[in-house]
Every structure is written in C-alpha cells, then in structure tokens.
Amino acid sequence: MIKKDLSVAFLGVKFENPFCLSSSPVGNCYDMCKKAYDVGFGGVVFKTIGPKSYFIDEVSPRFDKIDKEDTPFIGFKNMEQIAEHPLEENLADLTRLKKEYPNKVLIASIMGNDEKTWEDLARLVEEAGADMIEMNLSCPQMTSHAMGSDVGANPELCKKYCRAVKRGSKLPMMAKMTPNITDMVPVALACMEGGADGIAAINTVKSICNIDLNKYVGMPIIDGKSSISGYSGKAIKPIALRFIQQMKSDPRLKDVEISGIGGIETWEDAAEFILIGSTTLQMTTSCMQYGYRIVEDLKNGLMHYMDEQGVNSLKELIGLANNNIIPAEQLNRDYIVYPKIDLDKCVGCGRCYISCYDGAHQAMEWDEKTRRPNCNHDKCVGCLLCGHVCPVKAISLGEIVIKNGRKTKIEDIKL
C-alpha cells in the first residue's frame, strides 16, 4: 500500500491531512465531529456559532436536490441556517473536542450581527480551545440581513468585522467568501486589509433547484411556499475553482492561503482544488451522501496521485495549475484538433451525429446502413462536442491541423 505524507501547514497550523468537515450540518455537535476525527479527517470546522441572542428557528423539510438520468445528487439545496444549539452548548462541545483530540485541528466558525458580537464570539471560541477561526460572511439563507451573504457582498462591512474578530482573538482567522457576487477579489482584499490571515471559498450558491409543476411552488415546499437558498455539491465545483483561480491570479492575493470548498467528492476533485491553489479542503455534501468514511478513499487516492506525480509533499502540488489558466484573448487559436473515432468502441448510437447536427457544425456524417459516423474535416471546427456526448468514449483528440497563414508549429503544441 502506498504511503505518502499528506500533512499540510495552513495559516501556521499543521493538519495531518488537508481534509476537513466544512461548517454545516455535518459538523453540528460533539458526536459528529468526534466521529469525523475518528475516521480520519484532519480537521473540522464546527457548524457556525452565532450570537446568544439570535434564535434559530428552522423550516421542515429543508433540502432538495438536482439529479440527471440515473445520477443522483449532482446538486443539493440546503435551507438550513447556523447552529441551532445554545451558545454555551456549542462552546462546551469545542472544549471537549479539543481536550480529547489535541492533535486534530478544531476550527470555530462564527457569525455576528455587529462588531461587538463578532469580537465577543472570537474571544469565546479561543477560550474554548479552538485552533483557528473561520468568519462566516456568506450563508445565503439567514433570516437577518445583518448576517450572512448580504454582509459578504459588502467589502467595507467585511473589513470592519474582520478587524473586530482580530481584536477579540489572536487565533489565525480565515474569511469565508460568498459566491453570490460577480467578483470575489474586492471582498477578499477587504478581508485581508481587515486582518484576515486567509480565505475560505466558496460557500453555497443562491438557487431554486426545482419547481413543483402541479403546485407551482419551489422545492422543498414549506406550507405551500418556498424560498431561495444555498446550492452545493458536485455541480458547484466549476464555480468554486473559478473563484479561487481569480483570487490567485490577482497579484495582491497570489500568496494568500486558501481553504477550498465546493463539490469535493473524489480524490480527483481534491487534487484539482490543490492544483488551483487550495491548501486545505472542506466538505459537506459528499459526507451527507456517502458518510464520513469517504475520507478514506480521498486520502488513498491522493497518495496514489502523489506517487504518480513523483512528489513527496502536497505543498509541491499547490497552485501548479494557476499559471496555465490565462485570459481568453491569450489562448492559441492557430490550430484545429479533429476528432478521432474508434470504430471498435463505437456502439452505433448516433449521439455524436445528432449533437453535431443539432448543436454544432453539421460535420459528423452518418451511415444509416452501417450505423457508423464519419467526420467531414471540411466542416469540422474542432469543438469536440461529439467526444463529450459519446456514451462509450469512442471519440478522442485526433489529427492537429494548423490554420492557413498561422506560424505555430505542430510539434510545439501541447495537448
């Protein structure tokens, strides 16, 4: 069995591995966090602790999901707010967890509704034994506009609250970003100016997953009504990677340490977040679907990937993809890659032909007798839609042709 060192240092704190529960229903109490530690998570972000005066009153039911064909849980809608347990109980759980697991990382997620509350909560979780603080500036379904994503979209307010937290505690602190904005960079910069040591990204995306076609109500239905709330799971991974890349590509944020969140379900997902610049990785929806033991597969897969890449430390992989993601206007447009069709794999379904004819450039030709496709290079523009719709992966990258008058050499092209 391959063994690699998965430990990472994040904001000066050592994690035995990068995998953490994110602040959510999966880290709601002592027992849940204890089990996560026991099965191998390197850290937990305890479900967000709010002000003593703020009463959490949840709806029922409060989840929905998006699926596709026979694949469940592509995306998951969650209407749950922050921790519903009393402040004293949450603080006691933090103390107990740190006492029993001194070598595991305990991160306290907090959310205030004014400067004093942020400062007080920071002081209280430090006294309870937390190793680190995560400021939840991003929950999209809070019933108070003084909390959550409405705050996270306001750079000046974020800066002010970050300063309040740093007054209340000397612990390392990361600010958790909302994706419900166009550009995350101004908010991240404001948080860093306010004293944040790092960034967590992303929280859930505001959504309506489904509409009941007979009752004309969004899902889930609560007494005949519904509301917009957070979307998570595999479907938001592309959004998370995009926001992290945009932050890491800004010179002012290129060295900021990031805890990546958003659709991490497999070791490949984990590796992608690391390559785009994340040091630690947070998970919720995959744990809700598969249980905490998913971390065993993630750690094992990541160690095999490290072995394949010839690296001994995860630090060697962090951010390797950032310089290879560039503005669209800088991409090489000098060549076309034609599809290569493996007729031995082809099952004659016609998906490539239909998709090309109805959705691309009518370059895929179809022989009705043999039920086999053929690509007409005179029409093909090399979009490779055909390969993406093929159910048996019979279509791959094929011949490369340089466009007329272009100077790029085929041997210099990297695919």
Side-chain angles (χ1 to χ4, degrees):
M1 182 178 178
I2 292 174
K3 286 289 185 183
K4 290 284 185 178
D5 181 10
L6 293 176
S7 65
V8 293
F10 179 65
L11 306 186
V13 178
K14 184 176 181 180
F15 292 68
E16 66 181 51
N17 65 68
F19 298 106
C20 303
L21 297 184
S22 55
S23 168
S24 67
V26 301
N28 191 33
C29 61
Y30 164 83
D31 289 326
M32 299 178 84
C33 295
K34 177 184 187 304
K35 182 179 178 183
Y37 281 149
D38 288 340
V39 300
F41 276 87
V44 301
V45 186
F46 197 88
K47 190 175 181 183
T48 302
I49 299 170
K52 186 175 183 178
S53 60
Y54 189 76
F55 176 64
I56 298 297
D57 195 14
E58 298 286 15
V59 297
S60 176
R62 51 183 176 266
F63 298 140
D64 192 26
K65 66 181 175 69
I66 288 285
D67 53 24
K68 182 173 176 12
E69 296 163 352
D70 61 345
T71 305
F73 253 71
I74 291 174
F76 186 68
K77 182 185 178 185
N78 153 36
M79 301 180 75
E80 192 155 312
Q81 300 179 83
I82 60 176
E84 71 273 22
H85 304 301
L87 176 60
E88 294 80 5
E89 183 179 331
N90 289 321
L91 295 172
D93 282 354
L94 292 180
T95 300
R96 186 178 177 190
L97 284 165
K98 195 59 196 176
K99 181 178 180 181
E100 295 181 12
Y101 295 89
N103 297 320
K104 296 281 190 176
V105 179
L106 178 60
I107 303 167
S109 175
I110 62 173
M111 182 190 292
N113 52 6
D114 56 41
E115 286 186 80
K116 185 178 186 306
T117 307
W118 281 105
E119 184 176 339
D120 290 345
L121 286 171
R123 174 179 50 81
L124 289 170
V125 297
E126 180 174 8
E127 291 171 353
D131 298 299
M132 188 181 297
I133 292 173
E134 180 180 88
M135 289 181 65
N136 188 339
L137 298 165
S138 45
C139 180
Q141 54 259 359
M142 297 304 295
T143 56
S144 168
H145 293 291
M147 304 168 74
S149 60
D150 287 350
V151 174
N154 185 322
E156 287 304 312
L157 206 50
C158 288
K159 184 192 298 186
K160 181 169 71 172
Y161 288 159
C162 284
R163 285 174 176 162
V165 168
K166 297 305 282 188
R167 288 196 300 268
S169 170
K170 292 182 172 59
L171 291 178
M173 180 271 283
M174 55 180 160
K176 188 174 184 180
M177 300 286 98
T178 176
N180 300 299
I181 50 178
T182 303
D183 187 356
M184 197 172 282
V185 168
V187 179
L189 285 169
C191 290
M192 300 302 288
E193 290 168 8
D197 301 291
I199 296 294
I202 60 175
N203 208 324
T204 53
V205 180
K206 288 185 177 182
S207 70
I208 297 173
C209 271
N210 299 289
I211 302 289
D212 188 299
L213 299 182
N214 296 311
K215 298 177 181 177
Y216 321 130
V217 185
M219 302 292 288
I221 299 173
I222 298 95
D223 190 23
K225 305 293 181 182
S226 192
S227 68
I228 291 171
S229 60
Y231 189 57
S232 63
K234 192 83 165 184
I236 74 162
K237 184 185 78 168
I239 302 171
L241 294 176
R242 163 234 167 170
F243 274 118
I244 294 171
Q245 164 62 19
Q246 285 180 320
M247 286 189 286
K248 297 298 283 187
S249 64
D250 189 290
R252 297 164 294 179
L253 292 170
K254 67 182 181 65
D255 295 322
V256 69
E257 294 183 69
I258 292 178
S259 185
I261 317 167
I264 298 171
E265 190 173 293
T266 66
W267 72 262
E268 291 96 337
D269 298 330
E272 289 173 14
F273 272 83
I274 290 168
L275 291 171
I276 211 72
S278 304
T279 302
T280 59
L281 310 167
Q282 298 186 33
M283 303 158 54
T284 284
T285 309
S286 54
C287 294
M288 297 174 83
Q289 188 174 9
Y290 301 111
Y292 297 140
R293 288 189 63 182
I294 190 175
V295 75
E296 297 175 0
D297 292 335
L298 296 174
K299 291 193 296 183
N300 186 48
L302 202 52
M303 286 190 287
H304 277 81
Y305 176 67
M306 291 171 66
D307 187 63
E308 290 172 1
Q309 298 301 308
V311 302
N312 294 312
S313 168
L314 277 181
K315 185 178 180 180
E316 298 175 61
L317 296 173
I318 296 173
L320 289 185
N322 290 121
N323 290 336
N324 294 323
I325 299 175
I326 59 177
E329 63 270 20
Q330 296 179 20
L331 294 172
N332 187 347
R333 300 171 186 272
D334 289 353
Y335 63 93
I336 292 175
V337 183
Y338 293 114
K340 177 183 178 182
I341 305 170
D342 187 337
L343 294 178
D344 290 331
K345 287 185 179 179
C346 177
V347 294
C349 68
R351 286 282 299 275
C352 59
Y353 167 70
I354 292 170
S355 291
C356 183
Y357 197 97
D358 294 357
H361 294 269
Q362 297 84 49
M364 196 64 72
E365 298 172 345
W366 183 249
D367 188 314
E368 289 283 357
K369 292 182 179 179
T370 63
R371 296 194 63 81
R372 289 292 182 267
N374 175 66
C375 180
N376 182 336
H377 286 195
D378 291 335
K379 292 184 177 181
C380 183
V381 299
C383 71
L384 271 296
L385 173 63
C386 54
H388 290 291
V389 300
C390 178
V392 294
K393 299 181 179 180
I395 301 176
S396 58
L397 300 179
E399 181 186 5
I400 302 173
V401 174
I402 304 297
K403 295 177 183 177
N404 289 335
R406 305 299 175 89
K407 297 180 179 180
T408 296
K409 296 181 179 179
I410 289 178
E411 58 267 27
D412 294 333
I413 295 172
K414 303 178 180 68
L415 295 180

